[in-house]
Amino acid sequence: MKFSLIEVIAGTAAVAGGISVYAANKLFNMTIPRQDGVQVDLNEMADMAKWEEYKKIIASRGEWVRSQELEEIYIHANDGIKLHAWYLPAEKPTDRFAVIEHGYTSKGMDGASHAYFFHHQGFNVIMPDHRAHGDSEGDYVGFGILDRYDCISWIEYIIGRFGADVRILLHGTSMGATTVLMTSGLPEFPDNVKAIISDCAFTSPHDVFAHILKRDYHLPEFPIMNINSAMCRKKAGYGFNDYSTLTAMKSNKCPVLFIHGAEDNFVPTKMVYENYSACKAPKEILVVDNAGHGASAYEDNALYERTETEFINKYIPEE
């Protein structure tokens, strides 16, 4: 049996199309629906020898935070789902609040090391669970695009409960960093937010997924990302290119401290320079040598917290 060139091309295209749909389905199911437990490889942060050192900071601070009198808070997002957070009040009355936004498949309490730092800087601390994470409702992860509206809801909750004169700092790691940057681009972003600290943000879901497809699976972004984004829009209500931190930075007026690990291969370090370049507000940048994804705070804790303290004292000082 002989096949014409057109039939061969059509057959090849059909096979390629089938592979693309399969890959897109697999990527969607691995990332967008609510996941059971942390799905990020800890080796992305550091090797096991470094992890033993990192855990000394993470574990001790986490135990301290969990031993405090914490308040559980529930609010509703703009689409009606219930959101959960932990509230750690400052030791003495203050108008300063830090909102700690966590990373993908983590939860609010996993930001306890950062909560510990801000509490000891004199802040009230809110640790939300992102939608589809922890004790917050939701079936699909928002990857910052949906979470920016939830972050606004938490800001409005703080203002409504504690007064119109509160001063707020947003701190985010990885997906949480993308969230706080995206939040700053919303027209309803309130003046109460005086500073943002963004640690290893990706510029958009599309950009980080395309990077992982190429790095881990040696697959091109087209047409897999297009198919995946269409799936996400149908099921979760957003597409991967609906918004980006780069777009947000063009309109953001809030001072930003950008932090990234120099050895971050999960969210490429180049993204921090792209975000920094796009930012029109007052800005600072810290790239930590030898740090992998989300590991800057532990690779060089003294440098990380000294830089944060100087930034805090400049833009949201204790009064």
Side-chain angles (χ1 to χ4, degrees):
M1 181 180 296
K2 294 183 179 180
F3 295 96
S4 69
L5 179 59
I6 292 177
E7 288 174 323
V8 170
I9 292 172
T12 303
V15 171
I19 292 172
S20 295
V21 171
Y22 172 80
N25 265 297
K26 187 173 181 62
L27 179 61
F28 178 87
N29 290 326
M30 287 174 59
T31 55
I32 307 304
R34 177 188 281 268
Q35 304 293 313
D36 294 323
V38 175
Q39 300 296 317
V40 176
D41 185 354
L42 295 180
N43 287 313
E44 297 285 0
M45 290 181 65
D47 59 36
M48 289 302 104
K50 282 190 174 183
W51 255 110
E52 291 305 311
E53 294 301 312
Y54 294 173
K55 285 193 293 187
K56 293 176 183 178
I57 299 172
I58 297 169
S60 63
R61 292 184 172 193
E63 289 173 7
W64 185 90
V65 169
R66 285 187 286 272
S67 71
Q68 304 305 299
E69 291 189 14
L70 302 168
E71 178 186 346
E72 285 193 90
I73 301 171
Y74 290 92
I75 64 172
H76 284 91
N78 60 355
D79 60 356
I81 70 168
K82 187 183 292 185
L83 301 173
H84 170 267
W86 292 102
Y87 172 48
L88 173 62
E91 289 188 2
K92 60 181 182 179
T94 179
D95 66 343
R96 296 192 303 170
F97 287 78
V99 179
I100 312 297
E101 298 281 1
H102 63 78
Y104 175 65
T105 67
S106 185
K107 55 184 180 295
M109 189 57 71
D110 292 331
S113 179
H114 297 295
Y116 175 96
F117 168 77
F118 284 107
H119 177 82
H120 285 81
Q121 290 287 318
F123 282 79
N124 301 297
V125 181
I126 302 283
M127 296 173 281
D129 293 337
H130 283 294
R131 61 174 52 222
H133 290 76
D135 290 326
S136 287
E137 295 178 345
D139 296 322
Y140 298 105
V141 179
F143 278 100
I145 292 178
L146 299 181
D147 306 290
R148 57 187 164 142
Y149 298 108
D150 300 340
C151 188
I152 284 289
S153 295
W154 285 114
I155 293 168
E156 291 174 345
Y157 169 84
I158 293 169
I159 295 170
R161 175 175 171 180
F162 297 102
D165 296 328
V166 295
R167 295 176 295 150
I168 299 170
L169 178 146
L170 302 180
H171 180 286
T173 303
S174 191
M175 189 179 79
T178 296
T179 295
V180 298
L181 293 182
M182 286 185 174
T183 303
S184 73
L186 291 171
E188 61 267 39
F189 190 71
D191 292 338
N192 297 78
V193 181
K194 304 300 183 183
I196 296 171
I197 299 177
S198 165
D199 185 343
C200 62
F202 50 83
T203 48
S204 72
H206 177 278
D207 293 344
V208 73
F209 288 152
H211 165 71
I212 296 301
L213 271 179
K214 181 178 180 180
R215 188 195 71 168
D216 293 354
Y217 304 104
H218 309 291
L219 292 171
E221 62 181 85
F222 180 82
I224 296 171
M225 290 302 302
N226 301 67
I227 298 169
N228 202 348
S229 185
M231 291 177 182
C232 191
R233 185 177 302 284
K234 181 178 180 180
K235 295 184 178 182
Y238 70 94
F240 293 160
N241 271 324
D242 280 4
Y243 200 61
S244 75
T245 58
L246 302 179
T247 300
M249 289 301 93
K250 293 176 182 177
S251 59
N252 168 53
K253 297 179 176 61
C254 186
V256 184
L257 169 59
F258 296 94
I259 303 175
H260 218 97
E263 304 301 323
D264 192 337
N265 295 315
F266 188 74
V267 175
T269 307
K270 69 175 185 176
M271 289 189 182
V272 74
Y273 295 110
E274 292 170 349
N275 281 322
Y276 180 82
S277 178
C279 182
K280 305 303 181 186
K283 57 190 177 181
E284 299 177 19
I285 188 169
L286 171 65
V287 177
V288 179
D289 291 340
N290 303 312
H293 184 63
S296 296
Y298 315 112
E299 176 64 26
D300 195 335
N301 184 253
L303 173 63
Y304 190 99
E305 294 189 348
R306 182 170 67 249
T307 304
E308 284 189 312
T309 300
E310 292 171 356
F311 183 74
I312 290 166
N313 290 340
K314 185 183 297 185
Y315 293 109
I316 186 168
E318 189 170 12
E319 294 181 348

